[in-house]
Amino acid sequence: MINELKIKNFKCFEKLNIELSNLNVFAGINSMGKSSTIQSLLLLRQSFEMGALDKGLHLNGNLVQIGNGSDLLYRNSNDEEIGISLTVGDKSLEWTYNYNKDSDFQRLKSSNFSSERIENTNLFKSTFSYVSAERIGPQRFYKTSYYDIFELNQVGIRGELFADYLAERGKKDKVENSAVIHSKQTSDLLINQTQQWLSEISPGIRIDATKHSNEGIVGIEYKVFNSDFSPMNVGFGLSYVIPIIVCLLKAKEDDLIIIENPEAHLHPRGQRRMGELIAKAASGGVQIILETHSDHILNGIRLAVKNKEIRKDKVKLNYFYQEIIKDAKMGESVIHRKCSPVITDDGRLSDWPDGFFDEWDKALDELF
C-alpha cells in the first residue's frame, strides 16, 4: 500500500505531501488541485504501461492527457525540475524529471526505483483500476475485449467493458473481499453481489449480460420488479455506477482503485449507499483514492465509521483549497493548500473547514 505521495513543481503545487491510508477522500471546489494530485499517480502508471518508467514521463496517453511540459510545471517554479515520490512501507520510490516546455515527454533526471520495489507497489500491479469521471452512458450493446477482461482484469477507464466483464466472469468469479459481501445475498458470485448492491442504488432492479460472440458485442438487459427494460430506458445513473460497483467487488487486499465522482447521476440515497460500499471495500484491505463533490458520499463513509464497518484510522480526508497571499514586493499570489479533517469514532468530524461540504448550512442560513 502507498503510505505517502509527494509532488514538487507539479501543476498548481510547488510542493505537496499527502499521507495515504486505505480510503483517501479528495474534496474541494473545482480547480483546487484534486485532479492534479491524482494525475501524478496516473502519469506514473501511464509511463509504466508505455515501458518508459526508467526513461521519463509520458504526459499524453490512455489514462491522462496533460499536454506539454508547459502545462505540467508549477507556474511560479524557481527551478525547472519536476518531482514525484511514493512511500511504500518503509521504502521510497523517487523520480525527478528535466523540464521541457514544448514536449509531452519529460526525460528522467534521476530515480531510485528498482524492479523489486515496482513489483511491490500496487500502482504498478495488474490489479490496478481507474474509473474516470467521464464514463459512457446507456448503450444497447457494449464492446468486448478478452485481453482487458482476463489479462488486465479491467472494466475500462470509462466503464465501457463492465458488460463484458459480467458476461465472462460474473457467474464464475466469487467476491473474495468478505467485507463487501451483502448480508441479504447468500451467493458470493460476482453477478449476484453486483445485483444486490445495485438494488441498494435502485430498489428492485436486476441486470443480465449476454455475449453475442459472432458479432463481438455484449447485450445488457435490466429487470425492474420482473419487467424487462432496455438500457436506454433506465437512466444514466445505472450505467455510470455499475462499473464502479464491479471494480469494488472484484478488488482484493492491497489492490489500488482510483475513482472519480462516483456520485454522478445518482440520487442522494444511492450516493450514501455508494459511500458505504466504498468504505467496506477499503476496510477489507483495498486501497482507494476517491475524488468526490458529494456530501452524501462523505456521510456514507462517516456512517460506516460510526457503525464500525471501517476503522477511522483507515480513512484520510483531504480538503483542497487556495489562499491569496499578499506581499508588498511581489503583490498577490494564489497558493494551493490542503488540510485533513479527521472522522471521530461517532462519525463526526474533528473540525469543519470553511468550504468543506458546508454549502447546505450556508444556504439554510440565507433561507432562514
Side-chain angles (χ1 to χ4, degrees):
M1 185 173 74
I2 301 172
N3 306 113
E4 187 178 31
L5 166 67
K6 297 180 181 179
I7 53 180
K8 173 189 173 185
N9 289 333
F10 192 96
K11 298 192 74 174
C12 63
F13 294 107
E14 180 179 15
K15 287 184 179 180
L16 178 70
N17 296 357
I18 293 188
E19 292 184 5
L20 300 175
S21 188
N22 287 88
L23 175 51
N24 308 278
V25 180
F26 291 2
I29 65 174
N30 302 102
S31 299
M32 290 297 106
K34 304 182 302 298
S35 295
S36 294
T37 305
I38 288 174
Q39 286 170 353
S40 68
L41 295 171
L42 295 179
L43 284 174
L44 288 178
R45 174 71 190 196
Q46 181 166 276
S47 301
F48 169 75
E49 291 182 355
M50 298 171 80
L53 196 60
D54 60 343
K55 302 178 182 68
L57 205 61
H58 281 290
L59 304 189
N60 299 319
N62 292 330
L63 294 179
V64 63
Q65 295 189 2
I66 298 295
N68 291 331
S70 58
D71 301 301
L72 181 69
L73 185 71
Y74 173 62
R75 58 185 174 271
N76 297 322
S77 173
N78 293 319
D79 64 271
E80 297 184 343
E81 189 176 271
I82 300 162
I84 307 175
S85 70
L86 308 175
T87 301
V88 182
D90 59 351
K91 297 180 180 179
S92 66
L93 285 162
E94 300 176 356
W95 294 266
T96 302
Y97 303 94
N98 290 314
Y99 170 63
N100 186 337
K101 70 175 183 176
D102 299 319
S103 176
D104 68 344
F105 183 72
Q106 307 297 293
R107 293 196 175 278
L108 186 68
K109 179 180 181 181
S110 63
S111 178
N112 71 338
F113 80 89
S114 64
S115 298
E116 179 185 359
R117 291 184 182 182
I118 294 300
E119 291 171 359
N120 292 327
T121 304
N122 52 19
L123 178 63
F124 305 114
K125 293 182 178 180
S126 60
T127 50
F128 167 80
S129 293
Y130 166 54
V131 182
S132 74
E134 186 182 357
R135 301 188 283 280
I136 60 173
Q139 308 279 320
R140 292 187 183 276
F141 300 101
Y142 294 80
K143 70 176 186 177
T144 65
S145 173
Y146 181 94
Y147 178 73
D148 286 297
I149 298 304
F150 287 102
E151 299 297 329
L152 300 182
N153 193 33
Q154 300 294 310
V155 300
I157 297 168
R158 300 179 63 219
E160 69 274 13
L161 294 170
F162 86 85
D164 193 25
Y165 199 100
L166 287 177
E168 291 283 7
R169 305 184 64 162
K171 297 178 181 178
K172 302 174 185 176
D173 291 5
K174 294 183 178 181
V175 175
E176 296 187 21
N177 184 356
S178 61
V180 298
I181 298 291
H182 200 292
S183 60
K184 294 182 180 179
Q185 175 56 254
T186 57
S187 170
D188 57 0
L189 285 174
L190 176 62
I191 185 63
N192 293 332
Q193 286 296 319
T194 299
Q195 289 176 346
Q196 191 65 54
W197 277 105
L198 192 58
S199 70
E200 294 289 346
I201 307 299
S202 183
I205 197 157
R206 295 176 62 83
I207 184 174
D208 189 36
T210 304
K211 189 152 189 173
H212 305 280
S213 300
N214 291 338
E215 292 80 14
I217 56 176
V218 180
I220 285 289
E221 183 179 79
Y222 293 96
K223 289 182 179 293
V224 183
F225 296 109
N226 296 320
S227 296
D228 296 340
F229 286 87
S230 161
M232 311 303 291
N233 294 319
V234 294
F236 269 69
L238 295 182
S239 65
Y240 260 53
V241 78
I242 295 175
I244 296 174
I245 292 176
V246 174
C247 254
L248 293 168
L249 294 181
K250 73 180 181 63
K252 304 178 181 64
E253 185 176 0
D254 197 42
D255 287 359
L256 173 60
I257 304 175
I258 297 177
I259 304 171
E260 295 176 340
N261 301 123
E263 68 270 15
H265 299 291
L266 286 184
H267 184 275
R269 177 186 186 274
Q271 294 179 36
R272 171 189 154 178
R273 294 298 284 150
M274 178 56 60
E276 293 177 22
L277 174 58
I278 289 169
K280 284 175 176 287
S283 73
V286 180
Q287 186 168 34
I288 299 170
I289 295 176
L290 168 69
E291 179 184 2
T292 182
H293 293 278
S294 170
D295 51 350
H296 304 294
I297 292 279
L298 175 64
N299 289 339
I301 295 169
R302 293 170 61 194
L303 284 167
V305 172
K306 180 179 180 179
N307 295 330
K308 297 183 171 28
E309 294 171 341
I310 186 172
R311 297 201 320 262
K312 65 179 182 181
D313 61 294
K314 287 193 171 188
V315 181
K316 295 284 187 183
L317 303 181
N318 295 278
Y319 173 54
F320 293 79
Y321 64 100
Q322 67 183 21
E323 287 184 356
I324 297 178
I325 306 298
K326 295 183 178 180
D327 184 90
K329 294 182 178 180
M330 302 298 293
E332 289 188 350
S333 60
V334 177
I335 306 296
H336 287 257
R337 301 189 185 279
K338 173 195 71 71
C339 64
S340 300
V342 175
I343 302 178
T344 60
D345 288 323
D346 60 359
R348 298 177 183 271
L349 296 183
S350 59
D351 59 297
W352 207 291
D354 183 48
F356 182 70
F357 296 113
D358 58 1
E359 199 59 35
W360 173 246
D361 292 329
K362 289 180 178 179
L364 285 179
D365 287 340
E366 290 186 33
L367 284 168
F368 301 107

